[in-house]
Amino acid sequence: MASENNEANSLAKCSENDEEKAEELEREHFRKVVSAFLHYEKFSNLRIDKAKKDFLSLDAKDRERLPKFLENLEKQRQCVAQNFEFVKQIIGHTGYIFENVDHHADMNTDASDQKITVLFMEKVLTTVRQFVRDWSNEGMEERKMCYKPIVDEITNLYPADKYKPSDVSILVPGAGLARLMVDLARFGYTIQGNEWSLFMLIASNYILNKCSGTYHTTIYPFVHQSCNNMSAEDQLRPVQIPDINPTTLPANIDFSMNAGNFTEIYVEANQWDCIATCFFIDTANNIVSYIETIYKILKPGGYWINLGPLLYHFADVPNESSIEISYKELRNLIINEFKFELLKEERLKSTYIGNKRSMLETIYNCIFFVVRKPL
């Protein structure tokens, strides 16, 4: 995220007199992200080629002891090829991802023209994996851990017998591939998502606007995981998406995605009834600015619901500032400095784009809290 953030931050530093330069920087960043997607197959096959080279460097006796190794590598290559067809589907719908900006010309570039960093390529792999978390049956268990507590809390705070759902405005910063947005929108609430990463914006544009129907696309999201596999079949297993039709929402619902930096876009006070943050607040360079923005844009009496860890995405990233505080310090800021009223606070376990068949599982002991802005 840091490299992408560095490039995008340069846009904000341009003055109004540099609008043309800012537009070109935006286009250049867009081209690099698109090129990273288009590098997917080449990048993945280079890793497979290295594994093949390493295997062939063994002596003949050791190679004979691993009779299916080369066969499995070729199966991985086939999975990568099918994933690339999916990636091209995503990229094929990005021409007008931003309002009044036609990026078709920016897409007509040879992927080899761009120098793509490993960080950007890892973002492409993460984006593919994110579809499991948000849009597959396999991701249901993880969504129950991280999205369901937020959805349940909001429906309890704004029950249909007391509120007209469309009158309840909910903002979801760090919306990613938009599943939390869709799960809330199905109750009829007015929903807006906010996302900074162009990788996520391109993918969410595809899933929300161009991906009608269910279970029509097969991807192989774990093919890149070469470690901690119980079996070769686990690494090659297919996942079908989407598990629900993401383009079917209640009629006349107000549902939108807003692209850009959270603290720069949301500046108007008292605009939102509820803000739902999931694995988001630790993406800030300065977490205090996030709290300040949330406090400002919430209506008096509005709710902030949060679930997630404090991973701090910019910790130890060169040339990036990062304010890293403990949860107790964060809690003190929220309650004592900004005077939010604490309504609920508990620890909930959750994975993040996990692989339930892997020998390695990272479990976050997340903080789940509900606070209210004073009247």
Side-chain angles (χ1 to χ4, degrees):
M1 181 173 183
S3 177
E4 185 183 359
N5 187 68
N6 283 337
E7 290 191 19
N9 271 342
S10 63
L11 303 181
K13 296 176 182 177
C14 295
S15 67
E16 292 182 3
N17 295 329
D18 294 329
E19 288 185 9
E20 185 175 337
K21 181 180 179 181
E23 288 179 5
E24 181 51 37
L25 285 171
E26 180 185 298
R27 289 183 180 277
E28 178 62 19
H29 179 62
F30 182 91
R31 286 192 289 265
K32 286 184 178 180
V33 172
V34 169
S35 188
F37 277 108
L38 296 177
H39 265 86
Y40 166 81
E41 187 173 39
K42 179 180 179 181
F43 177 79
S44 301
N45 281 336
L46 284 173
R47 289 185 169 183
I48 295 173
D49 291 342
K50 182 184 181 302
K52 182 176 181 179
K53 180 181 178 181
D54 292 345
F55 175 78
L56 294 176
S57 70
L58 301 176
D59 61 45
K61 187 175 182 180
D62 284 346
R63 294 199 301 269
E64 289 174 2
R65 288 167 171 164
L66 298 169
K68 294 187 177 182
F69 191 87
L70 290 179
E71 178 185 345
N72 285 332
L73 288 183
E74 290 310 305
K75 289 180 179 179
Q76 290 175 35
R77 206 180 298 274
Q78 294 169 15
C79 292
V80 165
Q82 293 192 51
N83 281 350
F84 189 47
E85 293 303 312
F86 171 62
V87 168
K88 287 189 290 186
Q89 282 289 315
I90 295 172
I91 292 300
H93 296 288
T94 58
Y96 285 97
I97 186 171
F98 300 124
E99 186 176 2
N100 299 324
V101 179
D102 183 2
H103 280 295
H104 282 99
D106 302 318
M107 294 171 57
N108 295 327
T109 180
D110 187 342
S112 62
D113 291 342
Q114 298 283 345
K115 293 182 179 180
I116 305 302
T117 65
V118 172
L119 179 61
F120 265 45
M121 293 312 306
E122 291 295 341
K123 287 180 180 297
V124 174
L125 304 188
T126 299
T127 302
V128 174
R129 285 279 295 273
Q130 191 85 21
F131 279 94
V132 180
R133 171 184 171 88
D134 275 18
W135 297 104
S136 76
N137 284 340
E138 185 157 330
M140 184 183 300
E141 182 178 342
E142 188 167 289
R143 293 194 300 273
K144 285 182 179 179
M145 289 189 280
C146 60
Y147 295 162
K148 189 176 186 296
I150 295 174
V151 174
D152 288 347
E153 191 65 35
I154 290 174
T155 55
N156 286 334
L157 291 171
Y158 299 102
D161 60 342
K162 293 184 178 180
Y163 294 88
K164 182 180 179 182
S166 60
D167 290 340
V168 178
S169 59
I170 302 173
L171 176 64
V172 183
L177 295 191
R179 180 56 183 261
L180 179 57
M181 290 174 59
V182 170
D183 285 351
L184 290 169
R186 294 170 82 183
F187 289 93
Y189 300 120
T190 292
I191 304 293
Q192 183 171 106
N194 167 241
E195 181 55 55
W196 176 256
S197 170
L198 192 50
F199 291 90
M200 291 295 161
L201 287 166
I202 288 174
S204 63
N205 175 65
Y206 167 76
I207 197 72
L208 292 175
N209 300 313
K210 307 295 180 181
C211 193
S212 62
T214 58
Y215 303 114
H216 51 64
T217 298
T218 301
I219 59 175
Y220 298 86
F222 307 106
V223 67
H224 315 103
Q225 181 177 318
S226 59
C227 302
N228 292 307
N229 291 306
M230 285 295 292
S231 70
E233 289 72 25
D234 286 345
Q235 184 181 5
L236 302 173
R237 73 184 186 273
V239 172
Q240 290 185 306
I241 59 170
D243 63 312
I244 62 171
N245 188 342
T247 63
T248 302
L249 293 173
N252 303 317
I253 192 169
D254 189 341
F255 183 90
S256 61
M257 179 75 83
N258 200 355
N261 187 308
F262 172 63
T263 58
E264 293 175 4
I265 289 177
Y266 296 97
V267 296
E268 292 188 36
N270 307 326
Q271 293 294 305
W272 299 92
D273 294 301
C274 181
I275 296 176
T277 54
C278 184
F279 279 76
F280 172 70
I281 59 174
D282 56 0
T283 65
N285 295 90
N286 175 11
I287 195 169
V288 182
S289 68
Y290 272 17
I291 304 171
E292 185 175 29
T293 298
I294 289 170
Y295 184 89
K296 179 179 180 179
I297 66 178
L298 267 178
K299 295 177 182 178
Y303 298 94
W304 173 20
I305 302 169
N306 175 76
L307 188 149
L310 292 176
L311 187 60
Y312 294 117
H313 289 211
F314 296 105
D316 302 320
V317 175
N319 304 316
E320 279 286 353
S321 63
S322 180
I323 305 300
E324 299 141 27
I325 60 177
S326 68
Y327 176 66
K328 285 188 177 180
E329 291 171 297
L330 175 65
R331 187 180 189 274
N332 179 66
L333 281 171
I334 294 170
I335 298 172
N336 296 324
E337 294 296 325
F338 287 91
K339 306 301 182 183
F340 278 103
E341 178 188 358
L342 181 64
L343 302 180
K344 181 177 290 189
E345 182 182 38
E346 57 185 298
R347 300 284 291 277
L348 298 177
K349 295 183 182 298
S350 180
T351 55
Y352 187 84
I353 53 174
N355 179 357
K356 62 184 180 182
R357 297 192 193 178
S358 173
M359 298 168 69
L360 174 66
E361 185 175 38
T362 300
I363 299 177
Y364 295 94
N365 288 307
C366 299
I367 290 293
F368 176 63
F369 64 71
V370 181
V371 295
R372 180 167 53 197
K373 180 176 176 177
L375 290 170

